[in-house]
C-alpha cells in the first residue's frame, strides 16, 4: 500500500514539472495527433466525455469535453479553448458514478503511486458499455532517466496491465503501438539538460521546432483487435470497453 507521504511527494513533483511545462507550452489541437482517426468516431458517438490529465495535449475534442487535471495553467488554456476544466486527481475524480460514455487517460496512470485507486476511479465514472482510451509505457527493463525526469512511477508489465484492467471491469477491444518519445537516448539527455539549465531556450525550440516536427512525422496507428504483441513496444494505446 503506497504511503501518503510518497504519494504526496510524487504528486508535487508532477505538479511542479507540468505546471512549468504547460505554462510555456502551446496547446495542440487533438485533430493533429495520430490518435484522431481512432478518437473521432468514438467521440462522435459519445456526448458525455472526460479526459484525465491531458495537459496541453488533449486527444478528445476540446469543445463538449470535460477535462480533469492538476495543472492550473493547462486547465486555463483548455477552458479558454472551449472545454470544461476541473481541478482534480485521477485517483479522486469529482464526478458521479457512470457519468461518462468515453473516458481518456493518456500517459497518466504511470505517474501515480496508487494506480489501483486510479483505475477504480476510471472504472467508476465510466458507464457500463462505455469506452476507456488508455496509453501507458511498458517494460521496466526499458526504464531510463527520462522516466524519472517526467515523473513516472512505473512502466507496466503487459500481464500485470491486463490483470489490472480485468480487475476493474475493462476488456481490451483494440490496441496499437504508440508514443512520441524520441528513440535517441542522446536526444533525450540533451532535452533534459536544456529543460533544467536553459529552460527559456528549450521551450522556444520545443514550441517552434520539436513539437511541430513530432506531430508532422507521426506514423499512422495500426490498431488491431485485442492486445497486440508488445514485446518490442515502448508505449501501448488501448481501446477498452467497460463491462457490466
Amino acid at each position: 500500500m503506497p504511503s501518503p507521504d510518497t504519494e504526496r511527494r510524487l504528486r508535487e513533483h508532477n505538479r511542479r514539472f507540468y505546471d512549468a511545462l504547460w505554462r510555456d507550452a502551446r496547446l495542440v489541437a487533438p485533430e493533429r495527433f495520430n490518435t484522431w482517426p481512432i478518437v473521432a468516431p468514438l467521440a462522435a458517438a459519445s456526448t458525455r466525455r472526460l479526459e484525465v490529465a491531458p495537459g496541453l495535449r488533449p486527444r478528445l475534442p476540446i469543445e463538449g469535453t470535460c477535462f480533469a487535471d492538476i495543472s492550473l495553467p493547462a486547465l486555463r488554456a483548455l477552458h479558454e479553448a472551449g472545454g470544461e476544466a476541473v481541478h482534480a486527481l485521477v485517483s479522486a475524480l469529482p464526478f458521479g458514478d457512470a457519468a461518462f460514455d468515453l473516458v481518456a487517460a493518456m500517459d497518466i496512470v504511470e505517474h501515480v503511486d496508487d494506480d489501483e485507486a486510479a483505475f477504480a476511479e476510471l472504472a467508476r465514472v465510466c458507464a457500463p458499455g462505455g469506452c476507456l482510451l488508455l496509453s501507458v509505457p511498458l517494460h521496466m527493463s526499458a526504464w531510463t532517466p527520462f522516466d524519472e525526469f517526467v515523473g513516472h512511477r512505473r512502466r507496466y508489465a503487459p500481464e500485470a496491465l491486463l490483470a489490472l484492467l480485468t480487475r476493474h471491469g475493462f476488456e481490451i477491444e483494440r490496441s496499437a503501438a504508440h508514443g512520441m518519445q524520441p528513440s535517441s537516448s542522446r536526444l533525450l539527455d540533451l532535452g533534459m539538460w536544456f529543460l533544467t539549465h536553459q529552460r527559456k531556450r528549450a521551450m522556444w525550440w520545443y514550441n517552434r521546432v520539436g513539437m511541430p516536427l513530432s506531430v508532422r512525422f507521426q506514423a499512422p496507428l495500426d490498431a488491431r483487435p485485442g492486445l497486440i504483441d508488445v514485446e518490442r513496444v515502448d508505449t501501448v494505446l488501448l481501446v477498452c470497453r467497460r463491462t457490466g
Side-chain angles (χ1 to χ4, degrees):
M1 182 72 178
S3 72
D5 191 52
T6 299
E7 183 75 25
R8 180 190 58 78
R9 288 199 305 269
L10 187 63
R11 184 168 64 245
E12 185 60 18
H13 171 89
N14 280 301
R15 186 195 64 77
R16 287 197 307 267
F17 180 88
Y18 287 101
D19 272 2
L21 179 65
W22 301 138
R23 190 178 294 116
D24 297 324
R26 295 175 176 176
L27 177 65
V28 179
E31 295 85 354
R32 297 187 63 192
F33 291 105
N34 60 359
T35 47
W36 186 247
I38 293 174
V39 166
L42 294 174
S46 305
T47 57
R48 304 183 302 163
R49 303 188 300 263
L50 169 69
E51 186 163 1
V52 182
L56 295 185
R57 306 292 177 258
R59 304 309 170 94
L60 301 190
I62 296 177
E63 189 171 349
T65 296
C66 181
F67 297 97
D69 207 303
I70 65 171
S71 172
L72 293 177
L75 291 172
R76 281 194 292 269
L78 290 165
H79 175 72
E80 291 169 359
E84 180 182 348
V86 177
H87 189 255
L89 298 168
V90 65
S91 54
L93 296 171
F95 310 110
D97 296 353
F100 301 98
D101 302 310
L102 175 59
V103 178
M106 304 289 290
D107 307 310
I108 173 59
V109 292
E110 67 271 16
H111 288 268
V112 299
D113 207 41
D114 189 357
D115 60 344
E116 288 282 357
F119 275 93
E121 281 293 87
L122 293 172
R124 183 184 64 79
V125 302
C126 187
C131 181
L132 170 67
L133 189 68
L134 180 73
S135 177
V136 297
L138 299 175
H139 311 303
M140 282 301 294
S141 61
W143 184 273
T144 71
F146 183 77
D147 288 282
E148 186 172 354
F149 183 72
V150 298
H152 286 176
R153 179 66 178 83
R154 68 188 64 77
R155 284 175 164 269
Y156 282 92
E159 61 275 10
L161 177 62
L162 183 59
L164 189 57
L165 287 166
T166 300
R167 279 199 302 276
H168 293 283
F170 290 107
E171 294 180 349
I172 299 174
E173 286 192 344
R174 291 175 286 159
S175 60
H178 179 249
M180 298 180 67
Q181 178 178 312
S183 57
S184 169
S185 61
R186 289 186 178 181
L187 188 59
L188 287 174
D189 290 343
L190 185 64
M192 289 188 290
W193 188 91
F194 270 97
L195 279 171
T196 303
H197 301 285
Q198 297 283 339
R199 182 169 191 83
K200 186 174 181 180
R201 181 180 296 180
M203 292 309 298
W204 190 95
W205 280 95
Y206 176 73
N207 282 314
R208 293 167 175 79
V209 180
M211 195 63 202
L213 286 177
S214 295
V215 170
R216 182 179 180 85
F217 292 107
Q218 293 173 101
L221 292 180
D222 182 18
R224 301 189 180 189
L227 181 62
I228 60 170
D229 181 359
V230 293
E231 182 179 354
R232 299 180 182 275
V233 173
D234 177 78
T235 304
V236 66
L237 174 73
L238 305 172
V239 180
C240 305
R241 190 66 58 181
R242 180 78 165 92
T243 55

